[in-house]
Structures are given as C-alpha cells and as structure tokens.
C-alpha cells in the first residue's frame, strides 16, 4: 500500500466515523437516562431517510437541509412516542424485557408502515454533489461525504454544548450517573426522560437523513446501522458520550481497512465479530480504560 492509498483510507475512515457517532449518540443518551435499549432506533433512521427523500423529490429541498429539518420533526415525534408508549414501561436500573419487546414491536410497526407507503424498491437521493470530489494533494475526498461529516460534527458540538451548558443537559448527565441522587436533588425525571427520548429520536432521524445521501435505502434500511450502533456504544462503554466517538472511530477504521483483505459484503460480519470481541475482552468499553487509568493516577 502506498502512502497516498493509506491517507485516502484514513480520511475515508474519519469521515465515516463522524456519521457513525451521530447515529449512535441517540441510543447512548436514551440508555444513559432511561436504561432502555431503543430497538426502534432503526425504524426512526429509516423514517429519517424517507423524510429527506420526500422533501427532495416533492419540494426540491436539499437533503442536507432536510437532515437539519428532521431534528425538530423527529424530536416532537420522539416526545409523542414517549408519552403514548414508553412512559408506561416499568422503570428499572437495568434494561427490562417489556421495554425491549415494546420497542422491538414499534420497530416492526414502523418497518411495515414503510413497506405499505414506499414498497420494497430501493431508493436513492442523487444530487449534483453525489459524484463530486475534492482533491488535496494525493487525497481525494467525496464532497458529499465531507459535507455530511461537517453537519454530523456540528450537531455533536451543539449536543455537547446542550449537555454541558443547560439545565436540561446537567439533568441528563446527573440521571445518567446516579438516577436516585438526581431525584433527591429535585430533577423532574419524567420531563427529562421525555425530552431525552425526543433528543435521541431527533438524532436517529437526522442520521437516517444523512445516511440516505450516501447509501440507497428501503424500509429495512436501519437494520445494519442498528447493529453498528450496538457495536459502537458497547465499545464506548454504554453510557459514555466521549466513548461513543472513540467507538465510532474504531469501527470506522476496522471496516475501512479490512476492506483490503475482506470483501465489502462481509462488513456486517466484521461488526458482529467486533461486538463479540468487545463483550469478551472489554465489557466496560474504552471508557473503563480511562477510569482505570484515572484511578491508577
């Protein structure tokens, strides 16, 4: 492999990590506050893809702008889902079977709604930027992937500001670290949970819209990305927001560089293998390594 080829793969992995982190933060923030594994994440990503597609086809709205518009729309949808469905699930400090079944059922409902409305034909969003590239020295970068990466990183920066500079963000972090202590100091857990669920669904919708600009999609679109989100949050340590970014980078690097020796069709199998290795070798994720290092210091 030449240095130019290595740089091209490295840049491709970094761009991929940005969108992977965006699609996984929604699951992490919901798990952190509510201890719920949102299996419906895939269904909302699929809806986000069709949301951007319909805006582009019917109104001519650029899909990147569509991904930004998806944030408030899916936030409201997520809050509505919380009050209609999720809030009735018994609360616990661990994921429960009723919550898993409820959200798995919701995913199936969304998927079948997708088949009813759009059929099983693969769709794609083609814009003037789809095949455009930027060349910097020996590195060739897809313009669309660079724009998607920029939007993804910007959204994560805004999320970080919300989590660190607002009362809602402090409530989310407090409930993630110790739910009982948060309740004792007066945090409204139900209100925070509703807003958190809305935030998680907003990120799922936006990630689906961004992914739709890069890949073709159908109502089963979210399934392989749900698996990747699982891998990323396990690698990151389930409740660690910074760990998610590291997990996304690890998965993106592994997927990108293994393509040199393993056919692209086996990338899902690679994600499975990485998930198994992470659960066996590093069940606490990379966040546990940072904690051990902090205790040792």
């Amino acid at each position: 492999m030449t240095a130019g080829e290595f740089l091209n793969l490295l840049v491709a992995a970094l761009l991929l990590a940005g969108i992977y982190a965006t699609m996984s933060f929604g699951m992490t923030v919901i798990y952190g506050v509510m201890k719920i594994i949102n299996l419906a994440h895939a269904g909302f990503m699929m809806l986000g893809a069709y949301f951007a597609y319909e805006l582009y086809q019917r109104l001519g709205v650029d899909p990147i702008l569509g991904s930004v518009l998806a944030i408030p729309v899916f936030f409201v949808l997520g809050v509505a889902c919380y009050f209609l469905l999720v809030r009735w699930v018994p609360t616990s400090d661990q994921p429960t079977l009723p919550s898993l079944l409820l959200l798995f059922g919701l995913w199936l409902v969304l998927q079948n709604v997708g088949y009813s409305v759009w059929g099983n034909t693969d769709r794609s969003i083609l814009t003037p930027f789809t095949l455009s590239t930027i060349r910097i020295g020996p590195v060739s970068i897809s313009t669309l992937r660079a724009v998607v990466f920029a939007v993804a990183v910007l959204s994560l920066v805004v999320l970080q500001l919300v989590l660190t500079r607002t009362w809602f963000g402090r409530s989310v972090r407090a409930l993630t670290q110790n739910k009982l202590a948060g309740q004792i100091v007066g945090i409204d857990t139900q209100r925070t949970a509703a807003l958190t669920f809305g935030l998680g669904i907003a990120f799922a919708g936006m990630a689906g819209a961004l992914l739709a600009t890069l890949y073709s999609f159908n109502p089963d679109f979210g399934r392989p990305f749900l698996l990747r989100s699982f891998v990323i949050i396990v690698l990151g340590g389930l409740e660690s927001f910074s760990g998610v970014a590291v997990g996304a980078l690890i998965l993106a690097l592994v997927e990108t560089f293994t393509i040199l020796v393993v056919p692209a069709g086996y990338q899902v199998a690679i994600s499975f293998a990485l998930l198994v290795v992470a659960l066996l070798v590093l069940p606490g994720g990379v966040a546990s390594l940072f904690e051990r290092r902090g205790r040792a210091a």
Side-chain angles (χ1 to χ4, degrees):
M1 181 193 299
T2 65
E5 290 171 340
F6 176 80
L7 283 175
N8 272 296
L9 286 176
L10 185 61
V11 170
L14 291 174
L15 296 181
L16 188 61
I19 185 65
Y20 276 4
T22 302
M23 76 180 187
S24 305
F25 263 108
M27 286 191 73
T28 300
V29 75
I30 289 175
Y31 180 84
V33 172
M34 305 170 66
K35 299 298 180 285
I36 285 178
I37 297 175
N38 182 20
L39 293 178
H41 195 75
F44 288 108
M45 279 198 287
M46 177 271 294
L47 288 182
Y50 281 104
F51 178 80
Y53 174 80
E54 292 294 343
L55 283 181
Y56 183 63
Q57 292 294 326
R58 296 178 187 277
L59 303 175
V61 176
D62 187 275
I64 298 298
L65 177 59
S67 68
V68 177
L69 295 176
I71 295 174
V73 173
F74 280 80
F75 177 80
V76 172
L77 184 60
V79 173
C81 280
Y82 174 82
F83 281 110
L84 289 173
L85 301 172
V86 179
R87 72 165 171 159
W88 306 108
V89 174
T91 58
S92 173
D93 290 334
Q94 297 293 329
T96 61
L97 184 59
S99 67
L100 288 173
L101 293 176
L102 172 67
L103 293 168
F104 180 66
L106 179 58
W107 175 21
L108 295 182
V109 169
L110 295 177
Q111 193 178 48
N112 281 280
V113 168
Y115 279 120
S116 300
V117 175
W118 294 287
N120 58 2
T121 306
D122 282 0
R123 313 289 177 99
S124 58
I125 299 176
L126 298 177
T127 72
F129 296 105
T130 301
L131 301 178
S132 173
T133 59
I134 305 169
R135 192 154 191 89
I136 304 174
V139 179
S140 181
I141 303 172
S142 163
T143 304
L144 187 56
R145 285 182 180 270
V147 172
V148 167
F149 175 78
V151 173
V153 170
L154 180 62
S155 68
L156 297 179
V157 170
V158 172
L159 174 65
Q160 185 64 23
L161 290 175
V162 169
L163 291 176
T164 55
R165 304 290 177 85
T166 68
W167 174 254
F168 165 68
R170 295 187 186 99
S171 301
V172 167
R173 289 187 292 132
L175 292 179
T176 300
Q177 292 169 8
N178 192 318
K179 186 174 182 178
L180 180 59
Q183 290 173 320
I184 291 174
V185 298
I187 293 175
D188 186 338
T189 53
Q190 188 170 79
R191 179 170 173 269
T192 304
L195 295 176
T196 300
F197 199 80
L199 182 65
I201 299 305
F203 264 80
M206 183 184 68
L210 290 175
L211 287 167
T213 64
L214 304 177
Y215 306 99
S216 62
F217 53 93
N218 60 35
D220 195 32
F221 171 67
R223 183 173 48 80
F225 295 107
L226 178 67
L227 170 63
R228 288 181 171 92
S229 295
F230 274 136
V231 176
I232 289 167
I233 64 174
V234 169
L235 281 171
L238 292 179
E239 299 175 358
S240 170
F241 301 121
S242 57
V244 167
V246 177
L249 181 60
I250 293 172
L251 180 62
L253 287 170
V254 170
E255 283 191 351
T256 302
F257 280 92
T258 53
I259 231 172
L260 295 172
V261 291
V262 179
Y266 289 96
Q267 282 194 332
V268 175
I270 291 171
S271 300
F272 263 124
L274 194 57
L275 176 62
V276 172
V277 170
L279 288 172
L280 291 175
V281 179
L282 204 63
V286 292
S288 63
L289 291 179
F290 298 143
E291 290 173 3
R292 286 179 204 168
R293 188 171 180 179
R295 283 196 295 268

